[in-house]
């Protein structure tokens, strides 16, 4: 079975996506790139029924690498992200708060310094029909310089060098959208200036435990 590890990771994170309220029913989709191949969720399969063997594997043109189910309808968006970035994984969700923000704003502003983890304030892409090349195009354009985009009247997409990072960015994005929503209920949120977001981004580049130089 091609890309067994990647397929197992896709299944694991699909189940987490439901548990973390990042999507409902069979909506949302996840992919992982390994070289010139992509493991991606199938279309319309309940996540609790999804197995690694049921995860699709395609090449970067969307052609199946082996026999299997039909890939997610949002495959064009995933492939567009891989063409435009050095992403190793893409997570597309239908979260409540990010989708609500898409109805109200053209950009999620800097309500908290953690917006720096996404590259800065997150743009809202114009509406386009799901699964289309147009959606892929407007989504990637609005994602320029960012690792996240909100899709108007639809949901959100994040990417990262690996699936763990891409998924964590989806969690951060939904939390930031919820924070904006909660603050807006009480008044006008106070925002952080761009230079502070740049400062935090530089600090986050060295965040965490130092890498052991004796390992590789």
């Amino acid at each position: 079975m091609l890309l067994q590890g990647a397929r197992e990771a896709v299944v694991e994170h699909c189940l987490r996506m439901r548990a973390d309220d990042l999507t409902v029913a069979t909506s949302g989709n996840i992919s992982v790139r390994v070289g010139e191949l992509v493991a991606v969720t199938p279309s319309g399969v309940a996540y609790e029924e999804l197995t690694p063997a049921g995860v699709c594997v395609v090449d970067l043109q969307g052609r199946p690498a082996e026999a299997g189910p039909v890939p997610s309808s949002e495959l064009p968006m995933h492939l567009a992200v891989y063409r435009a970035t050095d992403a190793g994984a893409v997570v597309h969700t239908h979260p409540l708060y990010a989708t609500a923000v898409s109805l109200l704003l053209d950009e999620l502003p800097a309500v908290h310094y953690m917006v720096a983890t996404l590259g800065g304030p997150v743009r809202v892409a114009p509406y386009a029909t799901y699964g289309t090349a147009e959606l892929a195009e407007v989504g990637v354009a609005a994602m320029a310089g960012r690792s996240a985009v909100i899709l108007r009247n639809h949901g959100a997409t994040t990417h990262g060098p690996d699936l763990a990072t891409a998924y964590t960015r989806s969690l951060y994005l939904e939390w930031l959208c919820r924070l904006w929503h909660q603050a807006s209920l009480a008044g006008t949120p106070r925002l952080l200036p761009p230079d502070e977001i740049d400062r935090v981004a530089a600090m986050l580049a060295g965040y965490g435990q130092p890498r052991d130089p004796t390992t590789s």
Side-chain angles (χ1 to χ4, degrees):
M1 182 169 65
L2 290 173
L3 308 189
Q4 181 171 346
R7 291 163 108 159
E8 291 172 351
V10 166
V11 172
E12 174 192 348
H13 284 79
C14 281
L15 294 173
R16 285 187 59 190
M17 190 161 60
R18 286 282 301 276
D20 290 331
D21 290 330
L22 290 178
T23 196
V24 295
T26 63
S27 64
N29 29 80
I30 291 174
S31 69
V32 174
R33 178 179 179 176
V34 182
E36 298 302 302
L37 296 177
V38 175
V40 60
T41 46
S43 178
V45 175
Y47 291 136
E48 60 270 20
E49 298 175 2
L50 184 61
T51 65
V55 174
C56 306
V57 177
V58 301
D59 65 18
L60 293 174
Q61 286 71 49
R63 298 173 299 210
E66 64 179 25
V70 175
S72 166
S73 58
E74 295 297 1
L75 179 60
M77 178 166 55
H78 289 253
L79 297 179
V81 173
Y82 291 127
R83 286 193 294 268
T85 72
D86 59 357
V90 176
V91 176
H92 171 58
T93 59
H94 289 185
L96 178 62
Y97 288 94
T99 307
V101 163
S102 83
L103 312 179
L104 300 168
L105 300 178
D106 293 324
E107 181 178 83
L108 174 69
V111 290
H112 190 279
Y113 65 81
M114 288 305 287
V115 77
T117 63
L118 306 176
V122 180
R123 305 179 194 99
V124 177
Y127 179 77
T129 305
Y130 84 92
T132 61
E134 181 186 4
L135 177 62
E137 181 179 350
V138 298
V140 167
M143 193 185 279
R146 303 286 186 267
S147 57
V149 64
I150 299 170
L151 306 169
R152 193 174 306 282
N153 298 82
H154 185 152
T157 300
T158 60
H159 71 77
D162 50 61
L163 183 50
T165 302
Y167 188 84
T168 298
R169 286 171 175 168
S170 286
L171 292 173
Y172 278 137
L173 177 58
E174 177 67 350
W175 182 82
L176 287 162
C177 289
R178 184 173 184 178
L179 175 62
W180 176 86
H181 174 267
Q182 296 296 303
S184 296
L185 292 176
T188 301
R190 296 176 178 175
L191 306 179
L192 294 172
D195 62 334
E196 176 60 13
I197 301 305
D198 291 342
R199 183 180 300 111
V200 171
M203 294 172 64
L204 289 173
Y207 180 76
Q209 299 300 311
R211 181 178 177 273
D212 185 348
T214 65
T215 63
S216 59

